[in-house]
């Protein structure tokens, strides 16, 4: 990680990370399974004042390789098992701007992402890619001891379409000992490459799994309310109640027999789900 202050107002940061990992475990018949993962990622960021606020530019790259092999010994054999290399790439650029305007703190930004996966024999056509453009805005307003935040983010993908999500929150510090907060937010989870393009044939099991290009993103409405009591500077008691309503869940369902005579399973959007609960905690 490298940081350099170009001037009193401008700072540059460069970060690089890399990893190489091997996993080995017995798979039966005297054989071992091996997974080799290799990853490299890096970012470069420039931050400086602009028009009364702070502007930030960031570029991010990530590469990931995955390979599965087998052997009776302690080292994998080239070409054994499912040894086809999988390769995932991500390129991302972000431009954001933050400025204080009286009681308001305005946060604006746009982000562009390009993703690609190469997975021979597993993804339809061996490759899949998409381009994602996200635009977001948030405003935080302070009114005495009350902080109100509101935000919206629009995400558009060349693969699955558009999702617009909003959030509203409030935090009230009634005193140095009591604080209350509440939020209402809409979220989503985009379908992955494999959920949309994955293909898998198990001849021994007599079934095949196929992706679904028509999948919609999973979406949810989340609400929460919490209260914190801090009788002293070193201890706090917190209780939070939450409720999440999720729709368009993605799951694998049997679609009957395929033209090849195998049972055919496909990823589809199914019914709704609800999670709710209360979470107490003590912070010391």
């Amino acid at each position: 990680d490298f940081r350099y202050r170009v001037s009193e107002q401008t700072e540059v940061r460069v970060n690089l990370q890399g990893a190489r990992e091997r996993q080995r475990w017995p798979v039966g018949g005297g054989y071992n399974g091996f997974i080799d993962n290799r990853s490299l990622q890096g970012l470069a960021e420039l931050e400086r004042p602009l028009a009364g606020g702070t502007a930030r530019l960031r570029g991010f790259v990530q590469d990931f390789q995955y390979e599965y092999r087998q052997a009776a010994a302690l080292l994998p054999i080239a070409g054994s098992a499912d040894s086809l290399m999988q390769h995932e790439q991500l390129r991302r650029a972000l431009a954001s701007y933050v400025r204080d305007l009286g009681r308001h703190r305005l946060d604006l930004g746009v982000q562009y992402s390009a993703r690609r996966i190469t997975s021979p024999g597993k993804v339809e056509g061996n490759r899949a890619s998409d381009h994602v453009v996200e635009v977001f805005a948030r405003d935080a307003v302070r009114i005495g001891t009350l902080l109100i935040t509101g935000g919206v983010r629009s995400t558009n993908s060349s693969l699955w379409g558009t999702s617009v999500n909003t959030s509203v929150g409030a935090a009230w510090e009634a005193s140095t000992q009591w604080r209350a907060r509440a939020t209402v937010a809409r979220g989503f989870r985009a379908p992955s490459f494999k959920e949309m393009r994955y293909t898998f044939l198990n001849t021994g099991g007599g079934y095949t799994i196929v992706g679904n290009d028509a999948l919609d993103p999973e979406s949810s409405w989340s609400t929460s309310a919490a209260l914190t009591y801090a009788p002293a500077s070193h201890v706090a008691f917190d209780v939070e109640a939450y409720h999440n309503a999720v729709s368009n869940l993605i799951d694998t369902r049997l679609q009957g027999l395929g033209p090849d005579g195998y049972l055919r399973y496909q990823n589809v959007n199914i019914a709704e789900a609800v999670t709710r609960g209360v979470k107490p905690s003590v912070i010391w």
Side-chain angles (χ1 to χ4, degrees):
D1 188 73
F2 173 78
R3 298 170 188 249
Y4 180 68
R5 187 171 293 279
V6 181
S7 66
E8 287 294 325
Q9 298 180 322
T10 304
E11 182 175 304
V12 175
R13 179 188 177 193
V14 177
N15 180 282
L16 294 174
Q17 298 181 44
R20 181 170 180 175
E21 176 188 59
R22 169 167 291 171
Q23 303 173 19
R24 174 175 60 86
W25 71 99
V27 294
Y31 279 81
N32 292 316
F34 297 85
I35 286 181
D36 284 305
N37 294 323
R38 299 174 184 87
S39 65
L40 178 66
Q41 66 181 34
L43 69 84
E45 184 177 84
L46 172 67
E47 183 177 298
R48 63 164 299 151
L50 178 67
T54 302
R56 173 180 298 170
L57 296 176
R58 172 186 288 181
F60 177 81
V61 297
Q62 185 179 62
D63 281 74
F64 177 77
Q65 291 183 335
Y66 165 93
E67 187 176 22
Y68 173 68
R69 292 174 292 180
Q70 289 183 351
L74 299 182
L75 292 175
I77 298 175
S80 61
D82 181 16
S83 59
L84 298 176
M85 179 77 72
Q86 296 185 56
H87 189 195
E88 299 182 31
Q89 295 175 304
L90 172 64
R91 305 290 184 263
R92 178 173 290 162
L94 168 71
S96 65
Y97 178 72
V98 179
R99 182 177 180 181
D100 291 326
L101 293 171
R103 296 177 176 178
H104 298 261
R105 166 159 286 196
L106 191 62
D107 189 352
L108 306 171
V110 59
Q111 180 170 271
Y112 171 79
S113 303
R115 302 183 303 161
R116 184 175 68 178
I117 180 173
T118 302
S119 186
K122 299 183 180 66
V123 173
E124 182 182 350
N126 295 333
R127 291 184 178 183
S129 64
D130 79 337
H131 303 273
V132 179
V133 177
E134 298 177 272
V135 180
F136 61 87
R138 186 185 70 163
D139 186 20
V141 186
R142 286 193 177 275
I143 306 174
T145 57
L146 181 65
L147 174 65
I148 301 175
T149 60
V152 60
R153 175 184 292 262
S154 174
T155 305
N156 178 267
S157 167
S158 62
L159 196 62
W160 50 261
T162 301
S163 179
V164 178
N165 299 276
T166 57
S167 67
V168 177
W172 178 43
E173 191 169 298
S175 69
T176 57
Q177 293 181 322
W178 292 95
R179 177 179 295 173
R181 64 187 188 274
T183 59
V184 178
R186 179 172 173 81
F188 80 103
R189 185 188 74 85
S192 67
F193 282 140
K194 291 184 179 180
E195 288 170 331
M196 301 189 77
R197 297 290 182 86
Y198 185 77
T199 58
F200 175 75
L201 174 63
N202 187 332
T203 55
Y207 68 88
T208 182
I209 298 176
V210 296
N212 184 357
D213 284 343
L215 286 175
D216 293 321
E218 297 178 343
S219 60
S220 69
W221 276 105
S222 302
T223 58
S224 67
L227 184 66
T228 303
Y229 172 58
S233 60
H234 61 280
V235 62
F237 302 90
D238 185 88
V239 59
E240 181 179 27
Y242 62 89
H243 180 278
N244 301 315
V246 187
S247 59
N248 280 336
L249 282 171
I250 297 173
D251 202 0
T252 305
R253 288 292 185 267
L254 177 63
Q255 303 297 307
L257 285 176
D260 53 6
Y262 291 104
L263 292 173
R264 187 173 183 268
Y265 291 86
Q266 189 175 43
N267 298 312
V268 296
N269 291 109
I270 60 172
E272 301 175 348
V274 172
T275 62
R276 61 172 68 94
V278 176
K279 183 174 65 175
S281 61
V282 177
I283 303 170
W284 183 272

